[in-house]
Amino acid sequence: MKTIYKIARTELQTLFYSPVAWLILVIFTFQASMAFTDMLGGYVRSQSLGYRLWSVTEGTFGGMRGLFTQMQQYLYLYIPLLTMGLMSRELSSGSIKLLYSSPVTNTQIILGKYLSMMIYGLVLTGILMVYMIFALFAVKSADFPAMLSGLLGLYLLLCAYAAIGLFMSSVTSYQVVAAMGTLAILAVLNYVKGMWQDIEFVRDITYWLAIGGRADEFIRGLICSEDVLYFVIVIVLFLMLSIIRLQGRRQKTLWMVTWGKYAGVVVVAMLMGFLTSRPKLMAFYDATRTKMRTLTPNSQDIVARMDGGLTITTFVNILEENYWAGLPRSVNDDLRRFRMYTRFKPEIKMKYIYYYDKAENPSLDKSYPNLSDRGRMLKRAEIWDLDSNMFMRPEEVKKIVDLKPEGNRFVRLLERDNGEKTFLRIFDDLQRFPFETEISASFKRLVMELPLVGFVKGHGERDCIREGDRDYNRFAQDKPFRHSLINQGFDFTEVTLDKPIPEKVDIIVIADMRYAMTEQEKANLGAYIARGGNLVVAGEPRRQEVMNPIVEQFGVKFLPGRLVKVSENFDPDFIIARSTKEAQDIAYIFETLYRREYVVTMPGSTALEYTEDKGFKVTPLFVSDTIGSWNEVETTDFLDDTVRLNPAAGEVERSYPTVLALSRQMGDKEQRIVILGDADCLSNGEISISRKDVPAANYYLISGSFFWLSEEEVPIDVRRPTPPDNAVNLGMNAMYYWKIVLMGLWPAILAFFAIFIWVRRRGR
């Protein structure tokens, strides 16, 4: 060990007496200061402008432009300059012969040289530590453990780069060639991730070999044993290769023996990499304060209930728009989407089935109007360089599962060993892939019975099957819509009131009833209410006579007329309803809506009036504006006529409730009811439409209401604690001076020491 230390000390003395090491330190410090002050300065500016800050630590050090993220991209430029002379200098000058003649082993030489690089790496990470300490004082409640995780990742990455550079330096006596060779290997290891991904046998090997992005999880705050051991294996691999190379130079051996040693070391490294990447052998540590890189407790509880195996089969239709997400070259990236779940259930098996069948794809129809489905498959397979034999025919897939109800879209079939099955979909929005909410909802469907929502029909109500603008298909069961009930963990059915409502129905929806109920129907509805059933009642203008008998028993009334608010851009009866503070106590989802100042649009709403003498606690969830809003009882033509406030007709300008939440205790159960003054706000057309300068989020109304109605069971609550690092303890002036210090003075001090040592050495 002493010999290794002496070699390392000698190498460091040589390194720091050269201008290269100091120049790298100065440039590294300047780039780090520039990245750090740019990100932190952005937060200071945003805070000064009055914007709300969120997770400042992660944004400053991680994210897309954080300090660690940017420095990770620069490291590969520095290391070749440092390592190119480690062995090349000894080989070119002939001093290697002195080492050979001394009682020093090849292993000691390589480890001593490498130790010097590890120490230099500590100097670089020490510079980064300065910014972490600065952040502890500058950022409120900075997440220091998460910063340490990122620093560890960068240090391991730097050590891996150094091992590769040391090997290349031992291969040639030319320092420039060693540097270029190091860059070449790093380039290969960065880009090998995307190579030969279509070949199943090779896919996992090349994906594991890739060094690009290996520190990303560390930077995000998650330490995974696979990533740690990857760096250890790569470091040991290239150190062993360096030792073998040195042995080959020191004593002559058959080339077959030398290459056999190389191959043996590589094979052992690949085997170790395969074993350490098995989910059952992985260990994780989430260093973030709020455990952002770990499943939430609710999701963990769902996974824990799932005994036995689980197979996730992804069906990829080459003729469908989302086929790219499941192509062989995308499989490893796709598997990482379930990494949080395989962490807690490593026995999850992933399968991929490729097929072709007719699906809605306008672009494909336009590109190949005259080709059959098989012809289109062959064309796409040719473009992607895929074997057309891997795609099943439609009739072959139907023997496994009928995907026609899913529109033959990209979909996953989740199947337990006990035969329980469900689908997990991707969605027609910008994010496409399911979040933890949707994945956990699908898992929960496999382990327990979920709430059943019954849509009442028979009186002209909104239909949960049809896809017209006024109907409720999108809200209830639209498969590509992320926020539909079936994708958030609910089941749905249609119910009629001519017979008792089934016991299994947990919530019923009565929307825009046009015809009055019969006495028998009233009795059946009354029995459901009497047993404590939850329900949603949505009214409409001109339906008060039919709908009031339903809600009056709760102390609520749909007022005559309709709500109006004069607007320059919209019809007077277009109401923009805003969330109340009290709504946050009903469902956490409404808190998000209130904080972000989202609204619910109601194109034609009645005002609601309520009392609390029927035993219900009433909470207004959404209300109309206080100014310029009233209940219009005279005007009926809102297109050609002009609405005017007429106090003589009883019209009062004030804020009116448009959505109410009612609750009462019935034994050990709390009955919950949501009443809306407008049925259109939940319709297919209104959920889908967007209007300029109107931040409508009607789907929040659906999610929040049904979360409360299901007694907080679904949608799955995946909230995490709010990150406390939401403020910066610096003003604009202070940030300006600190930017000068960090970008100017700090690198200048290092440059001064470099010049001082260089001049002093020359003087000697």
Side-chain angles (χ1 to χ4, degrees):
M1 192 65 193
K2 288 183 178 179
T3 303
I4 295 173
Y5 172 73
K6 289 179 179 178
I7 294 174
R9 185 178 63 182
T10 302
E11 189 63 38
L12 284 172
Q13 288 175 343
T14 303
L15 194 65
F16 278 101
Y17 280 138
S18 71
V20 174
W22 286 102
L23 182 62
I24 288 175
L25 281 179
V26 172
I27 296 175
F28 182 87
T29 303
F30 179 78
Q31 287 183 319
S33 296
M34 186 167 57
F36 178 75
T37 56
D38 181 56
M39 287 304 302
L40 189 63
Y43 281 113
V44 172
R45 187 180 304 108
S46 297
Q47 182 173 267
S48 300
L49 292 171
Y51 294 113
R52 185 173 182 266
L53 303 186
W54 175 271
S55 195
V56 177
T57 306
E58 180 182 12
T60 303
F61 290 90
M64 295 183 64
R65 296 175 55 245
L67 172 62
F68 291 159
T69 304
Q70 292 197 47
M71 298 316 295
Q72 178 185 206
Q73 299 170 2
Y74 298 142
L75 282 181
Y76 81 96
L77 297 174
Y78 304 129
I79 301 305
L81 298 176
L82 292 168
T83 60
M84 65 182 184
L86 287 176
M87 293 303 302
S88 299
R89 184 175 59 251
E90 308 283 1
L91 295 172
S92 61
S93 65
S95 59
I96 189 66
K97 296 178 180 180
L98 296 175
L99 289 174
Y100 287 164
S101 62
S102 62
V104 181
T105 65
N106 298 322
T107 301
Q108 289 174 331
I109 294 172
I110 294 300
L111 292 183
K113 298 282 187 176
Y114 184 69
L115 179 60
S116 68
M117 288 296 97
M118 292 181 65
I119 296 173
Y120 189 88
L122 288 176
V123 175
L124 293 179
T125 53
I127 291 173
L128 295 178
M129 180 69 77
V130 171
Y131 305 103
M132 293 166 55
I133 296 173
F134 184 88
L136 282 177
F137 296 95
V139 178
K140 173 191 172 185
S141 303
D143 194 351
F144 195 68
M147 289 188 272
L148 286 176
S149 170
L151 193 64
L152 172 63
L154 290 183
Y155 182 68
L156 290 174
L157 180 65
L158 191 150
C159 289
Y161 284 173
I164 296 169
L166 176 57
F167 169 67
M168 288 306 303
S169 182
S170 67
V171 170
T172 176
S173 59
Y174 298 99
Q175 296 188 28
V176 175
V177 175
M180 296 301 294
T182 303
L183 286 173
I185 292 182
L186 294 180
V188 170
L189 290 179
N190 270 284
Y191 291 106
V192 73
K193 187 176 187 177
M195 298 171 64
W196 303 301
Q197 291 296 293
D198 294 338
I199 306 173
E200 186 173 355
F201 175 73
V202 182
R203 179 193 303 150
D204 291 340
I205 297 176
T206 57
Y207 196 85
W208 179 85
L209 273 175
I211 200 170
R214 276 288 176 176
D216 287 348
E217 292 288 8
F218 291 92
I219 292 172
R220 296 188 187 106
L222 181 66
I223 301 174
C224 176
S225 62
E226 179 194 13
D227 295 325
V228 174
L229 292 174
Y230 168 83
F231 287 117
V232 173
I233 292 169
V234 168
I235 291 169
V236 173
L237 169 63
F238 281 95
L239 291 181
M240 290 298 297
L241 293 177
S242 301
I243 293 171
I244 294 171
R245 175 59 179 163
L246 215 56
Q247 287 175 343
R249 285 180 174 275
R250 196 165 190 174
Q251 63 183 66
K252 295 297 182 181
T253 56
L254 293 174
W255 67 269
M256 292 181 61
V257 174
T258 302
W259 282 97
K261 291 179 181 179
Y262 286 143
V265 170
V266 172
V267 169
V268 171
M270 295 299 100
L271 179 61
M272 293 299 297
F274 174 80
L275 293 175
T276 57
S277 62
R278 298 306 90 192
K280 290 185 179 181
L281 299 179
M282 289 186 193
F284 298 84
Y285 175 71
D286 190 343
T288 61
R289 182 186 285 113
T290 57
K291 304 304 175 187
M292 289 294 292
R293 308 306 170 196
T294 306
L295 284 180
T296 56
N298 283 340
S299 295
Q300 292 183 43
D301 179 63
I302 292 169
V303 174
R305 296 188 186 192
M306 193 178 296
D307 299 326
L310 172 67
T311 302
I312 301 178
T313 304
T314 302
F315 291 88
V316 183
N317 182 2
I318 191 67
L319 303 184
E320 192 259 336
E321 289 181 322
N322 302 294
Y323 72 97
W324 51 268
L327 290 179
R329 66 190 63 201
S330 304
V331 164
N332 280 310
D333 289 329
D334 191 55
L335 293 176
R336 294 185 74 87
R337 298 187 179 100
F338 293 88
R339 195 173 186 183
M340 280 189 178
Y341 291 86
T342 54
R343 171 181 172 182
F344 294 96
K345 192 172 180 61
E347 61 269 24
I348 292 177
K349 298 178 182 177
M350 301 290 290
K351 292 173 55 180
Y352 291 82
I353 292 180
Y354 300 93
Y355 73 104
Y356 69 93
D357 202 349
K358 191 174 295 296
E360 184 179 352
N361 192 344
S363 63
L364 193 65
D365 296 335
K366 186 177 181 180
S367 299
Y368 310 112
N370 300 321
L371 290 181
S372 64
D373 289 341
R374 179 167 180 78
R376 294 176 177 184
M377 179 273 289
L378 293 172
K379 194 68 176 176
R380 275 200 165 170
E382 179 185 356
I383 292 172
W384 286 99
D385 195 22
L386 298 171
D387 182 2
S388 61
N389 294 319
M390 67 185 288
F391 296 100
M392 289 184 177
R393 296 191 301 272
E395 56 271 19
E396 293 176 324
V397 176
K398 288 179 182 177
K399 293 178 182 178
I400 303 173
V401 61
D402 184 10
L403 296 176
K404 188 174 181 180
E406 296 292 325
N408 291 323
R409 289 168 56 90
F410 181 102
V411 70
R412 306 182 201 270
L413 178 65
L414 281 57
E415 185 174 10
R416 295 180 66 190
D417 288 348
N418 62 7
E420 291 286 337
K421 300 179 182 180
T422 190
F423 284 112
L424 176 63
R425 306 170 180 91
I426 63 174
F427 309 107
D428 289 344
D429 53 30
L430 293 177
Q431 289 77 24
R432 290 283 176 179
F433 296 99
F435 300 144
E436 182 182 340
T437 305
E438 292 79 42
I439 298 175
S440 294
S442 293
F443 277 40
K444 192 168 187 176
R445 191 181 292 278
L446 294 173
V447 297
M448 64 188 70
E449 190 173 340
L450 294 176
L452 178 62
V453 180
F455 287 82
V456 174
K457 68 175 185 177
H459 312 85
E461 294 92 347
R462 303 298 174 96
D463 195 294
C464 63
I465 305 298
R466 294 199 303 261
E467 299 179 0
D469 280 355
R470 301 181 71 255
D471 295 310
Y472 282 2
N473 171 279
R474 189 164 176 79
F475 149 39
Q477 58 154 333
D478 188 21
K479 294 179 174 67
F481 182 51
R482 183 183 300 273
H483 302 280
S484 68
L485 294 182
I486 61 168
N487 289 324
Q488 294 299 322
F490 294 89
D491 289 318
F492 82 99
T493 185
E494 292 183 293
V495 299
T496 57
L497 298 178
D498 57 352
K499 51 188 176 183
I501 298 174
E503 290 287 338
K504 63 180 181 179
V505 175
D506 302 285
I507 306 166
I508 65 170
V509 177
I510 305 174
D512 193 13
M513 184 179 283
R514 299 184 181 187
Y515 316 116
M517 294 180 289
T518 65
E519 293 302 320
Q520 181 61 45
E521 290 172 333
K522 291 179 181 178
N524 289 333
L525 177 60
Y528 173 81
I529 295 171
R531 77 178 191 225
N534 297 341
L535 69 155
V536 175
V537 181
E540 272 286 304
R542 301 192 305 274
R543 304 280 189 259
Q544 290 92 335
E545 185 177 348
V546 177
M547 299 296 293
N548 271 332
I550 300 175
V551 299
E552 284 174 346
Q553 58 185 309
F554 311 131
V556 179
K557 182 180 180 181
F558 294 104
L559 294 178
R562 69 172 66 198
L563 280 174
V564 296
K565 178 178 172 61
V566 177
S567 169
E568 181 181 351
N569 299 315
F570 305 110
D571 292 337
D573 61 341
F574 178 76
I575 300 300
I576 297 176
R578 305 183 189 278
S579 174
T580 64
K581 288 185 178 180
E582 295 77 13
Q584 302 174 58
D585 299 328
I586 295 295
Y588 76 92
I589 298 172
F590 292 142
E591 187 276 332
T592 304
L593 190 146
Y594 181 84
R595 173 169 46 82
R596 296 181 180 178
E597 298 183 349
Y598 291 161
V599 299
V600 170
T601 53
M602 296 182 159
S605 175
T606 60
L608 300 176
E609 184 179 71
Y610 66 90
T611 63
E612 294 188 340
D613 57 0
K614 299 292 185 180
F616 287 91
K617 177 186 176 182
V618 183
T619 303
L621 300 182
F622 292 85
V623 295
S624 64
D625 288 339
T626 303
I627 300 174
S629 175
W630 71 88
N631 191 43
E632 178 64 42
V633 296
E634 293 183 318
T635 305
T636 58
D637 183 355
F638 296 94
L639 182 61
D640 298 321
D641 202 353
T642 302
V643 296
R644 295 181 180 84
L645 178 64
N646 184 6
E651 298 173 355
V652 180
E653 181 183 16
R654 64 180 178 88
S655 176
Y656 289 85
T658 59
V659 183
L660 299 174
L662 291 75
S663 62
R664 66 176 175 181
Q665 198 67 33
M666 299 186 69
D668 58 351
K669 180 183 184 300
E670 184 180 63
Q671 184 177 34
R672 298 178 176 183
I673 300 169
V674 173
I675 300 176
L676 303 93
D678 176 42
D680 288 328
C681 65
L682 304 178
S683 66
N684 299 334
E686 194 59 32
I687 291 177
S688 305
I689 198 172
S690 63
R691 299 176 178 87
K692 185 179 180 181
D693 298 329
V694 179
N698 289 26
Y699 52 86
Y700 272 98
L701 174 59
I702 298 172
S703 301
S705 298
F706 280 83
F707 177 75
W708 182 64
L709 290 166
S710 68
E711 298 179 4
E712 293 78 38
E713 186 173 354
V714 282
I716 308 297
D717 185 358
V718 295
R719 283 179 297 169
R720 292 175 170 83
T722 302
D725 50 338
N726 56 3
V728 182
N729 303 321
L730 292 174
M732 289 295 294
N733 291 334
M735 189 65 228
Y736 173 78
Y737 290 116
W738 276 113
K739 191 170 185 177
I740 294 175
V741 170
L742 293 175
M743 290 185 62
L745 184 60
W746 175 218
I749 292 174
L750 292 176
F752 172 78
F753 275 107
I755 296 172
F756 175 78
I757 293 175
W758 182 72
V759 171
R760 186 178 180 185
R761 188 187 183 196
R762 284 181 62 88
R764 290 181 178 180

